[in-house]
Amino acid sequence: DYSGPRDFLNEKNARLVHWTETPVNPGDYPYTQGSRWAEPSIKSAVIKLHEAYTLHSPKRTEWIRETGSQFSIERLALKYRPILKSYVT
């Protein structure tokens, strides 16, 4: 439930894990001075994995179909056209 995956994951199509914002320590990653990290909650992850495992098949199929429709050429064009145009103008 953090950063890039939020572009395509939401409460309707994913089991989002709670997190706590923590600082990235010097030496953890290159060029990260002042960066923050999303530390996942283990308890939340266990709960979400259990929910996903026990999810009934028809609901899972519905979520897969809905998520896939988010990535049609038409939907992606509508989403990214204004962003790409902002670089040109």
Side-chain angles (χ1 to χ4, degrees):
D1 185 19
Y2 185 78
S3 194
R6 292 297 291 178
D7 285 349
F8 56 92
L9 298 178
N10 58 56
E11 294 290 338
K12 292 174 73 177
N13 67 10
R15 297 292 184 217
L16 303 173
V17 173
H18 299 292
W19 53 272
T20 308
E21 188 175 282
T22 59
V24 175
N25 296 316
D28 284 350
Y29 296 97
Y31 313 110
T32 57
Q33 185 174 354
S35 294
R36 312 295 285 168
W37 177 260
E39 188 66 37
S41 161
I42 301 300
K43 181 179 179 180
S44 175
V46 168
I47 291 168
K48 301 299 180 170
L49 283 169
H50 179 73
E51 288 174 0
Y53 180 76
T54 59
L55 188 65
H56 297 293
S57 185
K59 188 69 173 172
R60 184 180 308 145
T61 302
E62 177 186 331
W63 284 355
I64 291 168
R65 185 175 22 259
E66 181 180 316
T67 302
S69 72
Q70 292 180 35
F71 297 98
S72 70
I73 292 173
E74 294 80 12
R75 294 271 309 261
L76 291 172
L78 285 173
K79 180 175 182 173
Y80 292 108
R81 180 176 286 124
I83 297 167
L84 293 173
K85 281 188 172 187
S86 74
Y87 290 105
V88 177
T89 58

